Amino acid sequence: MATVESMSPIPTDRLPTPLKIGWGFGSVGTQIVLNGQSLLLLFFFVTVLKMEPALAGTILFGAKLFDAVLAPIVGTWSDRTNSRWGRRRPFLLAGGILCAAGLFCVFNTPTANPLVLLASLMLISLGYSFFNIPYMAMPAEMTDSPIERTSIMSWRIAFVGVGTALATTLLPLVAKAGGGGKAAYGTVGVVAAVLTLIAMLITFAVTGRARATSSSGERFSFTAMIGAITSNGPFAFLLAAKLCQLIGLAAMSASILFFFKQVIGGGESMLALWSLFGNAASIASMLVWPYFSKRYGKVAVYAAAVLLYSVFGFSWLLAGPGESTLGVLIRAVGGGVFAGGLSLMGQSLLPDTMAVDFVRSGMRREGVFAGAYSFVEKASFALGPMAVGFIFQIMGFATHGVAGGDPRAVYAAVGLLSPGLYLLSILPLLGMRRSLAAYYRSPE
C-alpha cells in the first residue's frame, strides 16, 4: 500500500524537541477536561446531586451538542484570523482561561438545577473548542514531514497519558480523601481548573516559536466546507473510525467508576491503580509504535492495535466481585499498550489527511478539518455518557447510588458497548487503507 510516508520527495524538516514537548503538554489540559467530565460528572450528578441517570446523561449530551456545533465555527474562525500571535495562539490563551473557569463552576455548583449545570458545562465546551481546535490544526502547519508529525504526536500521546492519569487517578482520590460529598467534589473542581490552566498556558507560551501560516482572508461557505471534508476520502474514513472509537471511549469513561464500585468492589483506589498502570504502559509504548508504523504503515498498525485493544476490553466480561489485583493490572497494561498504539496512529494520520486537502486545493484550511474532527469528538463524548445513562435507566440500575443496582447494566456498558464500538471501527480503517492507496496512485 502506498502510505502518506511514501510521498516523494519526503520533507525532512526537523522540529526542536522542546517545541514538540511544549506543544504536546497542552494535551495534559485537554485530557483533564475530557476525562474529568466523562469519568466523574455522571457519577457526581447521580450519586451526589441525586439526579436521575437519564436526566444527567441528557444534560451532558446537551452540553456536548453545543460544543459540537461550535467546532466548525471556531475552526474556520481560526483559519481567518491574523494577529501578532498568529492564527491559532490567541484561541489557546482564551480556551485555557474558559476551561478553568467552567471546571470550577460545574463542580462547585450551588444548586442541582439542570439549567445551571448546563450553563457551566457550556462554558467548559466553549473553552475546550477555543483551545483544542486550533491546537489540533497546528501540526499540519508546524512541519511538512509526515514522519516528523508522528514524532510530534508521540509527545502528544505521552502527555495524553499524563493528563488521563491525573484525571482518572488524582481527581477520584481527591474526591475520596474529602469524603466523596459535595465539598469534596468542589475541591476536585479547583484542582482540575488549576492543572488545566497551567498546561494550556505552557503550550500557549512555547508555541510562539512554532512555524505558522498566515490567513489569506478567504471565506468558505458552509457548503464549501462540507465539500472539502467529504471529498477528502482518507479524512472521511478517519472520522468514521474515530466516531466509533470515541463513543466507545466515552462510554467506558462514564461507566468504569461504577464498574469498580459495583462489580469489582475496589472503588476509587483500584480505579486509580488501574489508571496509573494503564497510562504508564501507554506512555512507554511510544518508544516502539513509531518503529512499527515505519515498517508496516500507519493504517495497518492502527487496525492491529484496535483489534487487540478490543480483546482486552471484552475481557472485562470475565471480571467479577473480588477480582484479583493481578487481573486488573494485566488488563491495565495490555489495554494501555494497545490504546497507545491506536491513539498515536489515529492522531498522526490526522495532519496527514489534512495535508491531502492542501496538496489538492492549495488552500490552508486546517482549521476546517480540525473543526470537523472536533465535532465528531464532541458528538462522541455526548453520545457515550447519554447511552450509558439510558442503559442504566432501562436495566434498573440504582438511581441514587451504587449499592443495590443491577450489575448487568455496568457489564453491558464496560464489557460490550465500549469494546464492540472499537471493533466496529476497523471497517472504516479498511476503507481508509484503500482510499489512501487510490489517492497516491492518482495523477493529483
Side-chain angles (χ1 to χ4, degrees):
M1 181 191 76
T3 65
V4 172
E5 295 94 326
S6 68
M7 292 174 64
S8 179
I10 298 175
T12 57
D13 53 312
R14 298 292 299 274
L15 297 179
T17 299
L19 176 59
K20 297 177 189 178
I21 294 172
W23 179 82
F25 201 83
S27 291
V28 173
T30 61
Q31 295 310 302
I32 289 173
V33 173
L34 279 180
N35 289 285
Q37 292 183 88
S38 59
L39 176 71
L40 296 177
L41 280 183
L42 185 63
F43 188 86
F44 174 57
F45 287 176
V46 171
T47 65
V48 178
L49 299 184
K50 310 301 182 185
M51 299 179 70
E52 293 292 337
L55 175 59
T58 300
I59 292 172
L60 293 172
F61 174 80
K64 288 297 181 183
L65 186 62
F66 169 73
D67 203 353
V69 171
L70 278 176
I73 298 172
V74 174
T76 54
W77 188 5
S78 73
D79 278 342
R80 297 169 184 168
T81 297
N82 277 315
S83 78
R84 65 187 181 90
W85 289 342
R87 287 207 283 176
R88 317 295 182 187
R89 293 180 62 245
F91 293 90
L92 304 186
L93 177 61
I97 295 170
L98 291 172
C99 281
L103 286 169
F104 175 84
C105 290
V106 75
F107 284 107
N108 288 275
T109 177
T111 174
N113 185 303
L115 294 179
V116 173
L117 293 172
L118 181 60
S120 297
L121 291 172
M122 290 171 71
L123 183 61
I124 298 174
S125 296
L126 182 63
Y128 186 84
S129 289
F130 266 49
F131 183 89
N132 195 58
I133 296 169
Y135 175 73
M136 292 305 298
M138 293 176 80
E141 299 178 320
M142 290 163 65
T143 176
D144 295 321
S145 169
I147 296 173
E148 193 68 359
R149 289 179 192 137
T150 300
S151 176
I152 296 171
M153 287 300 180
S154 68
W155 283 105
R156 178 179 185 266
I157 299 304
F159 283 117
V160 164
V162 173
T164 302
L166 289 172
T168 58
T169 302
L170 177 63
L171 297 185
L173 292 179
V174 169
K176 182 179 181 181
K182 197 169 183 296
Y185 277 90
T187 304
V188 167
V190 173
V191 172
V194 170
L195 292 175
T196 297
L197 183 60
I198 291 172
M200 292 182 174
L201 289 182
I202 287 174
T203 294
F204 166 75
V206 173
T207 53
R209 295 175 289 169
R211 191 188 83 176
T213 58
S214 299
S215 171
S216 64
E218 291 182 272
R219 293 184 175 271
F220 311 112
S221 67
F222 181 76
T223 302
M225 288 188 287
I226 296 299
I229 293 165
T230 55
S231 65
N232 186 336
F235 183 79
F237 280 116
L238 179 62
L239 279 191
K242 295 301 291 186
L243 177 65
C244 295
Q245 293 165 14
L246 290 171
I247 294 176
L249 175 61
M252 180 71 164
S253 297
S255 55
I256 190 64
L257 181 55
F258 290 94
F259 191 87
F260 276 96
K261 293 180 75 72
Q262 175 74 11
V263 176
I264 294 180
E268 291 89 349
S269 298
M270 184 67 77
L271 172 65
L273 191 64
W274 170 76
S275 175
L276 182 63
F277 274 76
N279 284 292
S282 179
I283 294 170
S285 73
M286 293 303 103
L287 298 173
V288 298
W289 287 116
Y291 165 78
F292 286 116
S293 72
K294 289 179 184 179
R295 184 174 179 85
Y296 300 107
K298 293 182 184 181
V299 181
V301 172
Y302 193 2
V306 169
L307 175 62
L308 293 169
Y309 177 79
S310 300
V311 171
F312 279 93
F314 285 122
S315 74
W316 285 114
L317 294 173
L318 304 177
E323 180 73 17
S324 70
T325 301
L326 178 61
V328 171
L329 294 184
I330 289 173
R331 291 181 177 89
V333 173
V337 167
F338 296 115
L342 69 90
S343 297
L344 176 58
M345 294 304 104
Q347 292 297 311
S348 65
L349 281 164
L350 180 60
D352 291 347
T353 58
M354 290 179 183
V356 169
D357 177 70
F358 174 65
V359 171
R360 295 177 60 187
S361 69
M363 290 186 284
R364 283 292 185 183
R365 46 188 181 185
E366 292 87 356
V368 169
F369 290 91
Y373 176 84
S374 188
F375 176 88
V376 167
E377 181 184 63
K378 307 309 172 39
S380 302
F381 274 84
L383 292 169
M386 187 174 71
V388 171
F390 276 94
I391 287 173
F392 283 6
Q393 191 85 20
I394 292 169
M395 298 187 71
F397 189 81
T399 301
H400 292 154
V402 295
D406 190 341
R408 291 179 300 175
V410 189
Y411 274 113
V414 172
L416 287 177
L417 177 62
S418 178
L421 286 167
Y422 273 93
L423 194 61
L424 182 64
S425 75
I426 292 178
L427 294 178
L429 289 181
L430 297 176
M432 184 183 187
R433 183 184 180 98
R434 292 191 296 270
S435 180
L436 280 171
Y439 177 80
Y440 287 109
R441 285 197 301 268
S442 73
E444 296 179 53

PDB file of all heavy atoms in Angstrom, residues 21 23 58 62 77 85 98 136 169 183 210 212 241 245 314 327 338 381 387 423 425 435 444:
ATOM      1  N   ILE A  21       7.681  19.096  22.886  1.00  0.00           N
ATOM      2  CA  ILE A  21       7.243  18.858  24.267  1.00  0.00           C
ATOM      3  C   ILE A  21       6.241  19.928  24.696  1.00  0.00           C
ATOM      4  O   ILE A  21       5.199  19.631  25.285  1.00  0.00           O
ATOM      5  CB  ILE A  21       8.454  18.831  25.215  1.00  0.00           C
ATOM      6  CG1 ILE A  21       9.346  17.623  24.901  1.00  0.00           C
ATOM      7  CG2 ILE A  21       8.001  18.793  26.676  1.00  0.00           C
ATOM      8  CD1 ILE A  21      10.658  17.616  25.664  1.00  0.00           C
ATOM      9  N   TRP A  23       4.338  21.882  22.840  1.00  0.00           N
ATOM     10  CA  TRP A  23       3.047  21.736  22.167  1.00  0.00           C
ATOM     11  C   TRP A  23       2.275  20.554  22.751  1.00  0.00           C
ATOM     12  O   TRP A  23       1.093  20.664  23.060  1.00  0.00           O
ATOM     13  CB  TRP A  23       3.241  21.537  20.662  1.00  0.00           C
ATOM     14  CG  TRP A  23       1.932  21.374  19.956  1.00  0.00           C
ATOM     15  CD1 TRP A  23       1.086  22.358  19.560  1.00  0.00           C
ATOM     16  CD2 TRP A  23       1.300  20.134  19.612  1.00  0.00           C
ATOM     17  NE1 TRP A  23      -0.036  21.815  18.974  1.00  0.00           N
ATOM     18  CE2 TRP A  23       0.069  20.452  18.997  1.00  0.00           C
ATOM     19  CE3 TRP A  23       1.655  18.792  19.758  1.00  0.00           C
ATOM     20  CZ2 TRP A  23      -0.803  19.471  18.533  1.00  0.00           C
ATOM     21  CZ3 TRP A  23       0.782  17.817  19.300  1.00  0.00           C
ATOM     22  CH2 TRP A  23      -0.433  18.161  18.691  1.00  0.00           C
ATOM     23  N   THR A  58     -28.634  13.273  29.726  1.00  0.00           N
ATOM     24  CA  THR A  58     -29.173  14.217  28.752  1.00  0.00           C
ATOM     25  C   THR A  58     -28.520  15.593  28.898  1.00  0.00           C
ATOM     26  O   THR A  58     -28.239  16.268  27.899  1.00  0.00           O
ATOM     27  CB  THR A  58     -30.697  14.339  28.916  1.00  0.00           C
ATOM     28  OG1 THR A  58     -31.298  13.043  28.717  1.00  0.00           O
ATOM     29  CG2 THR A  58     -31.288  15.314  27.911  1.00  0.00           C
ATOM     30  N   GLY A  62     -26.499  17.491  26.035  1.00  0.00           N
ATOM     31  CA  GLY A  62     -26.810  18.830  25.571  1.00  0.00           C
ATOM     32  C   GLY A  62     -25.589  19.732  25.517  1.00  0.00           C
ATOM     33  O   GLY A  62     -25.400  20.492  24.559  1.00  0.00           O
ATOM     34  N   TRP A  77     -12.989  30.201  12.053  1.00  0.00           N
ATOM     35  CA  TRP A  77     -12.582  31.474  12.656  1.00  0.00           C
ATOM     36  C   TRP A  77     -11.064  31.527  12.813  1.00  0.00           C
ATOM     37  O   TRP A  77     -10.424  32.527  12.488  1.00  0.00           O
ATOM     38  CB  TRP A  77     -13.290  31.642  13.995  1.00  0.00           C
ATOM     39  CG  TRP A  77     -13.117  32.979  14.651  1.00  0.00           C
ATOM     40  CD1 TRP A  77     -12.486  34.085  14.145  1.00  0.00           C
ATOM     41  CD2 TRP A  77     -13.611  33.348  15.943  1.00  0.00           C
ATOM     42  NE1 TRP A  77     -12.539  35.120  15.040  1.00  0.00           N
ATOM     43  CE2 TRP A  77     -13.226  34.703  16.155  1.00  0.00           C
ATOM     44  CE3 TRP A  77     -14.330  32.675  16.933  1.00  0.00           C
ATOM     45  CZ2 TRP A  77     -13.539  35.381  17.339  1.00  0.00           C
ATOM     46  CZ3 TRP A  77     -14.649  33.358  18.108  1.00  0.00           C
ATOM     47  CH2 TRP A  77     -14.258  34.697  18.299  1.00  0.00           C
ATOM     48  N   TRP A  85       0.111  37.288  17.413  1.00  0.00           N
ATOM     49  CA  TRP A  85       0.379  35.970  17.996  1.00  0.00           C
ATOM     50  C   TRP A  85       0.117  34.841  17.013  1.00  0.00           C
ATOM     51  O   TRP A  85       0.196  33.677  17.376  1.00  0.00           O
ATOM     52  CB  TRP A  85      -0.488  35.759  19.246  1.00  0.00           C
ATOM     53  CG  TRP A  85      -0.077  36.604  20.412  1.00  0.00           C
ATOM     54  CD1 TRP A  85       1.113  37.249  20.602  1.00  0.00           C
ATOM     55  CD2 TRP A  85      -0.870  36.901  21.570  1.00  0.00           C
ATOM     56  NE1 TRP A  85       1.127  37.919  21.789  1.00  0.00           N
ATOM     57  CE2 TRP A  85      -0.086  37.720  22.417  1.00  0.00           C
ATOM     58  CE3 TRP A  85      -2.148  36.554  21.974  1.00  0.00           C
ATOM     59  CZ2 TRP A  85      -0.543  38.201  23.644  1.00  0.00           C
ATOM     60  CZ3 TRP A  85      -2.615  37.029  23.197  1.00  0.00           C
ATOM     61  CH2 TRP A  85      -1.824  37.842  24.020  1.00  0.00           C
ATOM     62  N   LEU A  98     -11.119  29.905  29.873  1.00  0.00           N
ATOM     63  CA  LEU A  98     -12.530  29.498  29.918  1.00  0.00           C
ATOM     64  C   LEU A  98     -12.702  28.079  30.453  1.00  0.00           C
ATOM     65  O   LEU A  98     -13.635  27.801  31.212  1.00  0.00           O
ATOM     66  CB  LEU A  98     -13.143  29.621  28.520  1.00  0.00           C
ATOM     67  CG  LEU A  98     -13.309  31.039  27.986  1.00  0.00           C
ATOM     68  CD1 LEU A  98     -13.739  31.014  26.524  1.00  0.00           C
ATOM     69  CD2 LEU A  98     -14.319  31.817  28.826  1.00  0.00           C
ATOM     70  N   MET A 136      -5.167  21.387  17.426  1.00  0.00           N
ATOM     71  CA  MET A 136      -5.037  20.226  16.556  1.00  0.00           C
ATOM     72  C   MET A 136      -4.748  20.616  15.109  1.00  0.00           C
ATOM     73  O   MET A 136      -4.302  19.776  14.324  1.00  0.00           O
ATOM     74  CB  MET A 136      -6.313  19.385  16.621  1.00  0.00           C
ATOM     75  CG  MET A 136      -6.538  18.703  17.962  1.00  0.00           C
ATOM     76  SD  MET A 136      -5.137  17.687  18.484  1.00  0.00           S
ATOM     77  CE  MET A 136      -5.089  16.473  17.173  1.00  0.00           C
ATOM     78  N   THR A 169      -6.839   9.275  38.137  1.00  0.00           N
ATOM     79  CA  THR A 169      -6.178   8.811  39.359  1.00  0.00           C
ATOM     80  C   THR A 169      -6.247   9.865  40.451  1.00  0.00           C
ATOM     81  O   THR A 169      -6.796   9.640  41.532  1.00  0.00           O
ATOM     82  CB  THR A 169      -4.706   8.459  39.079  1.00  0.00           C
ATOM     83  OG1 THR A 169      -4.637   7.468  38.070  1.00  0.00           O
ATOM     84  CG2 THR A 169      -4.026   7.921  40.333  1.00  0.00           C
ATOM     85  N   ALA A 183     -18.657  18.937  49.005  1.00  0.00           N
ATOM     86  CA  ALA A 183     -17.465  19.737  49.276  1.00  0.00           C
ATOM     87  C   ALA A 183     -16.227  19.099  48.663  1.00  0.00           C
ATOM     88  O   ALA A 183     -15.343  19.792  48.139  1.00  0.00           O
ATOM     89  CB  ALA A 183     -17.279  19.911  50.780  1.00  0.00           C
ATOM     90  N   ALA A 210       6.840  28.349  17.087  1.00  0.00           N
ATOM     91  CA  ALA A 210       6.475  27.373  16.059  1.00  0.00           C
ATOM     92  C   ALA A 210       6.238  28.048  14.715  1.00  0.00           C
ATOM     93  O   ALA A 210       5.801  29.201  14.639  1.00  0.00           O
ATOM     94  CB  ALA A 210       5.219  26.615  16.473  1.00  0.00           C
ATOM     95  N   ALA A 212       4.197  28.923  11.550  1.00  0.00           N
ATOM     96  CA  ALA A 212       2.754  29.082  11.358  1.00  0.00           C
ATOM     97  C   ALA A 212       2.514  29.677   9.978  1.00  0.00           C
ATOM     98  O   ALA A 212       3.378  30.336   9.406  1.00  0.00           O
ATOM     99  CB  ALA A 212       2.162  29.984  12.437  1.00  0.00           C
ATOM    100  N   ALA A 241     -13.939   6.132  11.662  1.00  0.00           N
ATOM    101  CA  ALA A 241     -13.283   5.262  12.642  1.00  0.00           C
ATOM    102  C   ALA A 241     -13.233   5.921  14.013  1.00  0.00           C
ATOM    103  O   ALA A 241     -13.519   5.296  15.039  1.00  0.00           O
ATOM    104  CB  ALA A 241     -11.867   4.912  12.169  1.00  0.00           C
ATOM    105  N   GLN A 245     -14.686   4.834  17.838  1.00  0.00           N
ATOM    106  CA  GLN A 245     -13.742   4.691  18.944  1.00  0.00           C
ATOM    107  C   GLN A 245     -14.032   5.668  20.081  1.00  0.00           C
ATOM    108  O   GLN A 245     -13.960   5.303  21.262  1.00  0.00           O
ATOM    109  CB  GLN A 245     -12.323   4.888  18.429  1.00  0.00           C
ATOM    110  CG  GLN A 245     -11.857   3.793  17.482  1.00  0.00           C
ATOM    111  CD  GLN A 245     -10.608   4.181  16.719  1.00  0.00           C
ATOM    112  OE1 GLN A 245      -9.925   5.142  17.054  1.00  0.00           O
ATOM    113  NE2 GLN A 245     -10.303   3.438  15.660  1.00  0.00           N
ATOM    114  N   PHE A 314     -13.173  -6.671  25.929  1.00  0.00           N
ATOM    115  CA  PHE A 314     -14.155  -7.740  26.133  1.00  0.00           C
ATOM    116  C   PHE A 314     -13.831  -8.589  27.362  1.00  0.00           C
ATOM    117  O   PHE A 314     -14.718  -9.219  27.937  1.00  0.00           O
ATOM    118  CB  PHE A 314     -14.239  -8.636  24.897  1.00  0.00           C
ATOM    119  CG  PHE A 314     -14.966  -8.020  23.739  1.00  0.00           C
ATOM    120  CD1 PHE A 314     -14.341  -7.862  22.503  1.00  0.00           C
ATOM    121  CD2 PHE A 314     -16.285  -7.591  23.861  1.00  0.00           C
ATOM    122  CE1 PHE A 314     -15.008  -7.294  21.421  1.00  0.00           C
ATOM    123  CE2 PHE A 314     -16.965  -7.031  22.792  1.00  0.00           C
ATOM    124  CZ  PHE A 314     -16.323  -6.878  21.571  1.00  0.00           C
ATOM    125  N   GLY A 327      -5.250  -9.451  37.919  1.00  0.00           N
ATOM    126  CA  GLY A 327      -6.130  -9.434  36.759  1.00  0.00           C
ATOM    127  C   GLY A 327      -6.425  -8.021  36.286  1.00  0.00           C
ATOM    128  O   GLY A 327      -6.454  -7.748  35.084  1.00  0.00           O
ATOM    129  N   PHE A 338      -1.962  -1.068  23.801  1.00  0.00           N
ATOM    130  CA  PHE A 338      -2.664  -1.002  22.514  1.00  0.00           C
ATOM    131  C   PHE A 338      -3.477   0.281  22.373  1.00  0.00           C
ATOM    132  O   PHE A 338      -3.667   0.773  21.251  1.00  0.00           O
ATOM    133  CB  PHE A 338      -3.517  -2.253  22.327  1.00  0.00           C
ATOM    134  CG  PHE A 338      -2.691  -3.495  22.243  1.00  0.00           C
ATOM    135  CD1 PHE A 338      -2.767  -4.480  23.222  1.00  0.00           C
ATOM    136  CD2 PHE A 338      -1.791  -3.669  21.208  1.00  0.00           C
ATOM    137  CE1 PHE A 338      -1.975  -5.610  23.153  1.00  0.00           C
ATOM    138  CE2 PHE A 338      -0.985  -4.802  21.133  1.00  0.00           C
ATOM    139  CZ  PHE A 338      -1.080  -5.773  22.109  1.00  0.00           C
ATOM    140  N   PHE A 381     -18.446  12.212  22.678  1.00  0.00           N
ATOM    141  CA  PHE A 381     -18.458  12.354  24.129  1.00  0.00           C
ATOM    142  C   PHE A 381     -19.803  12.829  24.649  1.00  0.00           C
ATOM    143  O   PHE A 381     -20.039  12.820  25.858  1.00  0.00           O
ATOM    144  CB  PHE A 381     -17.326  13.290  24.576  1.00  0.00           C
ATOM    145  CG  PHE A 381     -16.012  12.569  24.756  1.00  0.00           C
ATOM    146  CD1 PHE A 381     -15.189  12.336  23.673  1.00  0.00           C
ATOM    147  CD2 PHE A 381     -15.623  12.099  25.997  1.00  0.00           C
ATOM    148  CE1 PHE A 381     -13.991  11.656  23.816  1.00  0.00           C
ATOM    149  CE2 PHE A 381     -14.433  11.418  26.154  1.00  0.00           C
ATOM    150  CZ  PHE A 381     -13.610  11.191  25.068  1.00  0.00           C
ATOM    151  N   ALA A 387     -25.744   7.355  26.325  1.00  0.00           N
ATOM    152  CA  ALA A 387     -26.062   5.942  26.102  1.00  0.00           C
ATOM    153  C   ALA A 387     -25.930   5.148  27.398  1.00  0.00           C
ATOM    154  O   ALA A 387     -26.788   4.310  27.715  1.00  0.00           O
ATOM    155  CB  ALA A 387     -25.133   5.367  25.030  1.00  0.00           C
ATOM    156  N   LEU A 423     -14.174  -2.359  17.954  1.00  0.00           N
ATOM    157  CA  LEU A 423     -14.059  -3.405  16.942  1.00  0.00           C
ATOM    158  C   LEU A 423     -14.728  -2.967  15.637  1.00  0.00           C
ATOM    159  O   LEU A 423     -14.198  -3.203  14.539  1.00  0.00           O
ATOM    160  CB  LEU A 423     -14.693  -4.694  17.463  1.00  0.00           C
ATOM    161  CG  LEU A 423     -14.390  -5.981  16.692  1.00  0.00           C
ATOM    162  CD1 LEU A 423     -12.893  -6.274  16.694  1.00  0.00           C
ATOM    163  CD2 LEU A 423     -15.173  -7.151  17.288  1.00  0.00           C
ATOM    164  N   SER A 425     -14.893  -0.088  14.443  1.00  0.00           N
ATOM    165  CA  SER A 425     -14.115   0.960  13.773  1.00  0.00           C
ATOM    166  C   SER A 425     -13.089   0.407  12.789  1.00  0.00           C
ATOM    167  O   SER A 425     -12.525   1.166  11.986  1.00  0.00           O
ATOM    168  CB  SER A 425     -13.404   1.836  14.805  1.00  0.00           C
ATOM    169  OG  SER A 425     -12.288   1.168  15.377  1.00  0.00           O
ATOM    170  N   SER A 435      -8.520   3.992   0.308  1.00  0.00           N
ATOM    171  CA  SER A 435      -8.617   5.375  -0.126  1.00  0.00           C
ATOM    172  C   SER A 435      -7.244   6.023  -0.237  1.00  0.00           C
ATOM    173  O   SER A 435      -6.953   6.735  -1.206  1.00  0.00           O
ATOM    174  CB  SER A 435      -9.490   6.165   0.867  1.00  0.00           C
ATOM    175  OG  SER A 435      -9.604   7.513   0.477  1.00  0.00           O
ATOM    176  N   GLU A 444      -3.402  13.341  -9.320  1.00  0.00           N
ATOM    177  CA  GLU A 444      -3.442  14.525  -8.493  1.00  0.00           C
ATOM    178  C   GLU A 444      -2.243  14.562  -7.556  1.00  0.00           C
ATOM    179  O   GLU A 444      -1.855  15.624  -7.113  1.00  0.00           O
ATOM    180  CB  GLU A 444      -4.734  14.569  -7.657  1.00  0.00           C
ATOM    181  CG  GLU A 444      -5.983  14.691  -8.516  1.00  0.00           C
ATOM    182  CD  GLU A 444      -7.223  14.715  -7.635  1.00  0.00           C
ATOM    183  OE1 GLU A 444      -7.288  15.529  -6.711  1.00  0.00           O
ATOM    184  OE2 GLU A 444      -8.141  13.898  -7.896  1.00  0.00           O
TER     185      GLU A 444
END
